């Protein structure tokens, strides 16, 4: 059962933040939507309104793009040296650390996730991302290139230049982290940005906007427009003065972004959905593989693009693993994330709760057996039980489609040589994991799995330095690591006859 909200003393700055009418950031100013409209953002643990934010739409996006364009072309941003850009990012990282508790509580209230994780994962990972890319700002280099055209001598080299004005659209599952994945590399290389947070979780992006100004980024370099995907998001993706769009969210909306971007052929990078295979071989160390596989699906209430939602287990250990994962779910204390005693929070919204419950119904109708979980919890907030399904078939919706909730389908296998093919039988290719003590099995599988990330004897290990992105319909391009610099730069070849 979900626990009710114990009296929690919020950080004073959080109360202050929520008590004021929030505005959005355009051209260095905190402004209302041109239409004057606002919308509410909710606490998913209670369904109650936290505060309201401006409902930016096409006109506001246009204002923000103009501000970003002016900042990119006129300055002072173009004159800011790489070393200064690096220092600004490091300052921002320090400010994230300095406001750690406020950001953690705000993230938990708006998104629902346990504050334990906001404190140890979301906020520190955000600071780390700004710090990591702060280091890259001075290391974005071109090359010299030998040119063999006869009859003259040439000096040729490449410049790696900022791509220009960037639109960035992010989801609600890791609001702060997603903002940092997008902003940090773009700012490191000298782009300017219009960021649109998800309608469900606009608050930490707005607080981050305050810290960006406090760090000293010039006006117009970062603009943050709150609003809905169908209006503000679509306008940003289609805007003819935006040079690049970076999107994280559903594969369905990713395809809309690609279409919208075609008007001016802006560059596009996409980080989309997944249906990641998590494979346990018979020789695996089950002491680690069982809790690791439970966390692979239940972390963040299953609302992870990398969620290990298809659990393939060798038939010899299938029952032991199923019993272990089922038993592990009893460790969860489910309730409002702001109560530090809880380690599993609500889903993000009524809509997401309905979606996940729809999959639970469809699984049951198609003949899947529920080992544990299977129901929503209570009437307040958007809680659902961690759920383990067996007796599933490859054609079932619960096996094919991204559920984005704490629901895992377990599938036994017998032939280790055929498991890669079953694991790859999906339109997605974001992540995968293998659990084995055999080095050859581990690395042979790593090579065979068609996924942007393969974990061996671990799951959901991320690092600012590790490139992340998808094969197949899980996306285009790689975020994080030095690969992310390519998303936000153009290469210019310069050739001089000497
Ligand atoms: P979504 O619609 O893809 O939303 C992601 C972002 O795109 C949000 O900022 C959203 O704005 C915006 N957006 C929506 N429609 C748009 C459009 N036509 N043009 C431009 N931007 C648009 O995801 P969702 O509806 O929140 O969740 C639905 C499903 O997406 C989930 O159940 C899950 O399967 C998947 N998902 C995946 C990830 C991931 O990390 N890969 C993250 C979240 C969700 P608004 O929120 O303001 O509408
Ligand atoms: Mg919210």
């Amino acid at each position: 059962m979900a626990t009710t909200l114990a009296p929690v003393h919020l950080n004073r700055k959080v109360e202050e933040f929520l008590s004021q009418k929030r505005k959005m950031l355009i051209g260095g100013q905190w402004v209302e939507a041109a239409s004057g409209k606002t919308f509410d953002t909710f606490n998913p643990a209670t369904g109650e309104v936290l505060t309201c934010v401006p409902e930016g739409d096409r006109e506001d996006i246009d204002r923000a793009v103009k501000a970003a364009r002016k900042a990119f072309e006129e300055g002072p941003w173009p004159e800011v040296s790489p070393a200064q850009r690096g220092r600004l990012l490091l300052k921002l990282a320090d400010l994230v650390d300095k406001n750690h508790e406020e950001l953690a509580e705000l993230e938990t209230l708006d998104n629902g996730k346990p504050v334990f994780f906001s404190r140890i994962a979301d906020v520190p990972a955000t600071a780390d991302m700004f710090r990591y890319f702060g280091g890259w700002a001075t290391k974005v280099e071109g090359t010299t290139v030998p040119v063999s055209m006869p009859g003259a001598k040439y000096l040729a080299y490449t410049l790696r230049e900022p791509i220009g004005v960037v639109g960035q659209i992010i989801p609600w599952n890791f609001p702060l982290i997603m903002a940092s994945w997008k902003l940090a590399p773009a700012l490191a290389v000298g782009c300017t940005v219009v960021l649109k947070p998800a309608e469900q979780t606009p608050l930490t992006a707005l607080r981050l906007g305050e810290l960006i100004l406090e760090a000293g980024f010039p006006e117009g370099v970062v603009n943050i427009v709150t609003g809905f995907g169908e209006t503000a998001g679509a306008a940003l993706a289609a805007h003819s003065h935006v040079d690049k769009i970076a999107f994280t969210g559903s594969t369905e909306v990713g395809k809309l972004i690609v279409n919208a971007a075609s008007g001016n052929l802006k560059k596009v990078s996409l980080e989309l959905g997944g249906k990641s295979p998590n494979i346990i071989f018979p020789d695996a160390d089950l002491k680690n593989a069982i809790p690791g596989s439970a966390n692979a699906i239940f972390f963040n209430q299953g609302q992870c693009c990398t969620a290990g939602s298809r659990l393939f287990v060798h038939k010899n250990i299938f029952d032991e693993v199923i019993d272990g994962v089922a038993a592990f779910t009893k460790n969860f204390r489910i309730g409002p994330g702001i109560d530090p005693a809880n380690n599993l929070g609500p889903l993000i919204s009524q809509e997401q709760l309905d979606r996940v419950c729809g999959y639970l119904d469809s699984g049951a109708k198609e003949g899947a057996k529920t080992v544990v979980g299977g129901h929503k919890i209570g009437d307040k907030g958007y809680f659902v039980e961690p759920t383990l399904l067996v007796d599933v078939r490859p054609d079932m919706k619960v096996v094919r489609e991204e559920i984005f909730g704490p629901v895992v389908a377990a599938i036994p296998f017998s032939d280790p040589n055929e498991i890669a093919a079953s694991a790859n039988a999906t339109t997605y290719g974001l992540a995968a994991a293998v659990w084995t003590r055999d080095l050859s099995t581990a690395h042979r599988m790593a090579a065979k799995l068609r996924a942007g990330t393969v974990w061996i004897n671990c799951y959901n290990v991320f690092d600012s330095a590790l490139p992340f992105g998808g094969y197949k319909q899980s996306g285009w391009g790689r975020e994080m690591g030095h690969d992310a610099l390519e998303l936000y730069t153009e290469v210019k070849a310069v050739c001089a006859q000497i």
Side-chain angles (χ1 to χ4, degrees), residues 345-419:
L347 299 181
I348 187 71
S349 61
Q350 183 65 47
E351 189 187 353
Q352 196 63 14
L353 179 64
D354 293 343
R355 219 180 108 90
V356 171
C357 290
Y359 278 107
L360 294 174
D361 291 346
S362 111
K365 274 203 200 92
E366 291 186 295
K369 187 177 147 211
T370 304
V371 178
V372 68
H375 304 98
K376 77 181 244 229
I377 306 172
D379 294 320
K380 194 171 187 198
Y382 314 123
F383 295 92
V384 68
E385 293 171 341
T387 299
L388 171 59
L389 304 175
V390 293
D391 294 348
V392 296
R393 293 182 316 271
D395 60 300
M396 288 182 179
K397 273 174 64 161
V398 288
V399 177
R400 283 185 294 114
E401 297 180 11
E402 181 175 51
I403 297 176
F404 228 64
V407 183
V408 60
I411 304 156
F413 71 92
S414 43
D415 186 349
N417 294 317
E418 285 176 7
I419 186 58

